Amino acid sequence: MGPASYLPFLKRAVVRDGPPLHLTLFVTGRCNARCRHCFHWKEVDAAVEGLPLDAITKVAGSLGGDLLWLALAGGEPFLRDDLGEIARAFAPRRPRHVSIPTNALVESTTLQGAERVCAALPDSFVNVSVSFDGPPEIHDSIRATPGGFQKSVKTFESLKRLRERTANLGLGVIHTVTAENQAQAAEFVTWLRRELRPDNVTINLARGAPRDEALLRVDPQRYRDAVEAKTRDLRDGSLPYFRFPMARVASARDLVMYERIEDQSRGAGAYRPCLAGRLSAVIYEDGRLAPCEIRDDVFGNLRDVDFDFSRLWTSQAAQELRDRIWAQRCECTWECQAGINVLFTPSLYPKLAVKTLVR
């Protein structure tokens, strides 16, 4: 899809009513790691099964519009052996971007799953991002996976070879800054770029109610240092970023997003309305439809409406929850939602334009 394929979404910067353009689907709670910074750890410990394929197909068919961004989350998404079929269910929604975060502990399932998703959605840009939370001893400690760092590196190298023969595959890494790795975060971001040579480095900030809440005690300056390390690599060209139409806008969006998240972590910065529940939606493994990953309240459960997404999305209960989010001036540090907020808040466009030009 070319740059023109993004034009239909521009009106949503002004017209907020309508179907979501950003959907996060938790395909499974099963996971082969027990990350101490995971906000979704209760579902992981319970190994909650995701919705069956026929239910997901119904949901996809009832969304009511195209998707800018489909995120397939977990648990470990590649533990679903039908992940390619799940992706194909969304083909009518023409997702411009598909993102899949992974621990990449099992090389064979990761490679097979990535290849199948790319084949199922040949017109979508598919971003597979592998999580690395620090040097081996820190990474393995945070993720409670002895030897996990080396397994993930091995899979990452195999994914690079897959990328060479798969036109719509991008390969990134994710580094989540926590209290345990913050002292090394900036240096490690540089190491990731230099040694693994990904398309992009995504920097997350530990959030929510994780298994080990002590990991939330992050010095905002350490987070900023990690962001500045990435910014330098972008500006000197050593970090290429993903290759898709409007990539420079997307990378600039990331930089504005990081500023917003740092301000939020410091309790500073001007309030910007959150578009969760208006432009974004989250579907959990058990069928609950939520505005975002942070709030506990939900629109309802898709199981109760025969997986008719639009019926639940346009319900009175859904509108009342949107109104509460607006009235409460809700803000958080969830990167995915912060990125959508940046892209669809016109008052941020001057800053976005400057960073697009100079990055």
Side-chain angles (χ1 to χ4, degrees):
M1 297 184 187
S5 70
Y6 294 86
L7 294 177
F9 298 111
L10 288 178
K11 66 180 181 181
R12 299 299 297 278
V14 178
V15 180
R16 302 291 169 70
D17 293 335
L21 48 81
H22 166 220
L23 176 65
T24 300
L25 174 65
F26 282 79
V27 297
T28 182
R30 290 184 292 127
C31 193
N32 45 4
R34 290 295 181 269
C35 303
R36 291 164 41 229
H37 59 359
C38 179
F39 68 90
H40 204 57
W41 63 273
K42 293 180 181 178
E43 290 81 358
V44 166
D45 283 0
V48 178
E49 293 290 342
L51 295 176
L53 179 59
D54 61 343
I56 292 173
T57 301
K58 286 183 178 181
V59 169
S62 60
L63 279 175
D66 283 2
L67 287 170
L68 173 63
W69 178 8
L70 171 65
L72 301 176
E76 170 50 48
F78 288 118
L79 291 182
R80 283 282 300 245
D81 57 13
D82 60 349
L83 196 64
E85 288 77 7
I86 290 173
R88 185 173 291 109
F90 288 92
R93 302 278 69 84
R94 303 173 67 234
R96 279 41 166 192
H97 298 265
V98 178
S99 63
I100 311 173
T102 177
N103 58 41
L105 287 172
V106 182
E107 182 179 10
S108 58
T109 57
T110 305
L111 290 172
Q112 290 169 8
E115 190 166 19
R116 289 169 180 168
V117 170
C118 289
L121 294 171
D123 294 327
S124 301
F125 181 81
V126 179
N127 161 30
V128 174
S129 287
V130 180
S131 292
F132 290 100
D133 292 318
E137 65 281 3
I138 294 178
H139 174 93
D140 292 357
S141 170
I142 291 175
R143 294 189 162 258
T145 54
F149 182 91
Q150 295 303 332
K151 292 177 182 177
S152 297
V153 167
K154 184 174 183 292
T155 300
F156 189 87
E157 294 300 325
S158 296
L159 284 166
K160 286 165 71 173
R161 292 189 287 274
L162 176 62
R163 179 185 56 181
E164 291 174 0
R165 64 177 190 272
T166 308
N168 62 327
L169 176 61
L171 186 55
V173 295
I174 301 173
H175 181 62
T176 300
V177 182
T178 70
E180 189 161 333
N181 63 17
Q182 61 180 333
Q184 299 88 2
E187 181 181 353
F188 188 67
V189 165
T190 300
W191 183 93
L192 288 168
R193 184 269 303 164
R194 184 181 65 244
E195 299 298 326
L196 297 186
R197 303 181 66 83
D199 297 321
N200 186 40
V201 178
T202 295
I203 300 172
N204 287 350
L205 182 63
R207 67 176 187 272
R211 188 188 302 272
D212 182 354
E213 295 197 3
L215 293 180
L216 296 176
R217 301 187 192 117
V218 176
D219 180 349
Q221 184 60 48
R222 298 290 196 178
Y223 171 80
R224 181 177 183 177
D225 292 343
V227 169
E228 288 180 346
K230 172 182 174 174
T231 303
R232 287 193 297 271
D233 289 343
L234 280 172
R235 286 178 175 162
D236 68 20
S238 58
L239 184 65
Y241 204 73
F242 299 117
R243 296 179 181 177
F244 56 77
M246 310 300 290
R248 285 192 66 87
V249 174
S251 66
R253 174 221 42 204
D254 288 355
L255 298 181
V256 177
M257 175 193 75
Y258 292 138
E259 291 179 2
R260 300 283 306 151
I261 289 172
E262 182 189 346
D263 285 345
Q264 182 65 18
S265 70
R266 294 179 185 275
Y271 167 72
R272 305 285 181 181
C274 182
L275 302 175
R278 297 174 186 269
L279 302 188
S280 302
V282 174
I283 299 175
Y284 290 110
E285 298 93 335
D286 60 2
R288 286 174 298 143
L289 176 61
C292 74
E293 294 180 356
I294 301 299
R295 297 179 65 97
D296 293 328
D297 39 11
V298 299
F299 295 140
N301 197 301
L302 289 162
R303 294 179 184 274
D304 297 332
V305 292
D306 194 27
F307 305 102
D308 184 338
F309 183 95
S310 291
R311 180 178 168 189
L312 203 53
W313 183 255
T314 59
S315 67
Q316 182 62 33
Q319 187 55 50
E320 291 172 357
L321 178 49
R322 292 185 189 103
D323 292 343
R324 286 201 300 277
I325 292 171
W326 208 259
Q328 292 167 359
R329 298 168 67 88
C330 193
E331 289 186 293
C332 71
T333 61
W334 178 30
E335 290 79 10
C336 296
Q337 186 58 55
I340 290 294
N341 289 346
V342 169
L343 280 179
F344 292 92
T345 298
S347 62
L348 290 174
Y349 287 177
K351 178 178 286 190
L352 188 62
V354 169
K355 291 189 181 295
T356 298
L357 293 172
V358 302
R359 200 164 72 175

